[in-house]
Amino acid sequence: MKYLIILGDGMADEKIPELGNMTPLEYAETPYMDLIAQHSRMGMLKTVPEGFHPGSEIANMSILGYDIKSTYEGRGVLEAASMGVPVYSGEIAMRCNLICIENGIIKNHSAGHITTEEASALINHLSDKLGNDFISFYTGVSYRHLLKLKNGDKNILCTPPHDVPGIPFKDVLVKPLSKNAEKTAALINDLIIQSQKLLQTHPINKKRIQEGKDPANSIWPWSPGCKPSMPKITDSFNLKNGVVISAVDLIRGIGIYAGLKSVVVEGVTGLWNTNYEGKAQAAIKAIHDNDFVFLHIEASDEAGHEGDYALKVKTIENLDKKICRPIIEAVNNMNESVSIAVLPDHPTPCRIRTHTASAVPFMIWRQGTIPDGIATFNEFTAQKGSYGTLYNNEFITEFLRQ
């Protein structure tokens, strides 16, 4: 048996009046997800344990079976693994967004989805001006970058920028959670202020403003942590090998710690215009050669963060037509049985433009299973599924059972 997870990041949502009081997943035309549904068992999955922030790192680690309380060390170290940046004892790593601030207000978490080429020049500029033996910047993809601090204290309160659009940045600066962490909090806040001065007049931002684009005029570090200790999913579930396919460093980093090989597809962006076809073909190739494939599609989450319900519908329809369709056709022609699961990691409601911890729908298509007889896949039909509600690692245990 082989196993393939198709994950539409942030795909779940709330009912939206402009969509006839339906969710984007209900409203979208998804004949291939519905075809999977008709041969599947369904349920709801609570991916965020009580007391944890509903970040993608928490939700995806939970889906892959990790005990969050004992293994979670922050988002930055996971992204560092994907970027090939080692995190040593005595160091902390943090996600470092390039964001847009307008009149002291956080306008967006992505600097208008700045290109990697533009962002790389800005991060290199900050590294030249602010980096030293204790402070290191590393370029990631688009607005997603990395900050590493030697002798830093992870006991600080950092607010994810996608949680606070429309909020004055000074209201959500870093706060220490202990006396020992005061120095680290003050250092990071100083880096934020200094970055604003350095980025404001950078030629790239001047050009972006002239073109009517949002400038990347501030860094925003968040989710600090040390190197985690995570058992490999391949060992935990007796899998020979596995692959992770994603445009996002965070997901690739989780996969690397989980013992999965990262496959990078040319032309992936994490947005609505990503290379869906390339990711589908990479997943099809990978499932021929591996026991387990984790295929992650980011686009719906970004549409939710933008509050763009029409775009979110489009991303779901793209996932259905350009991901699910070719995968179904390929799997049906394979000689070996393949179990397929389709689900989001968390909701990203367009109304609030950030993640929530609500349970998400999932479905599992497995040869020989007796389907629930449900014709469509969405947040409400899945509540009628025979799995009921699963929690945290119960999903992967059920999915990967021999």
Side-chain angles (χ1 to χ4, degrees), residues 176-208:
L177 297 176
S178 67
K179 185 72 175 177
N180 290 338
E182 289 179 354
K183 184 177 179 181
T184 299
L187 170 63
I188 296 170
N189 288 334
D190 183 59
L191 288 174
I192 291 172
I193 299 302
Q194 289 192 64
S195 77
Q196 294 174 7
K197 296 175 181 176
L198 290 167
L199 294 174
Q200 181 179 7
T201 57
H202 194 280
I204 284 177
N205 278 327
K206 287 184 176 181
K207 185 172 183 290
R208 287 181 65 83

Side-chain angles (χ1 to χ4, degrees), residues 119-131 198-199 201-202:
S120 178
L122 296 178
I123 292 296
N124 288 338
H125 180 60
L126 293 175
S127 183
D128 290 342
K129 299 296 183 181
L130 302 178
L198 290 167
L199 294 174
T201 57
H202 194 280

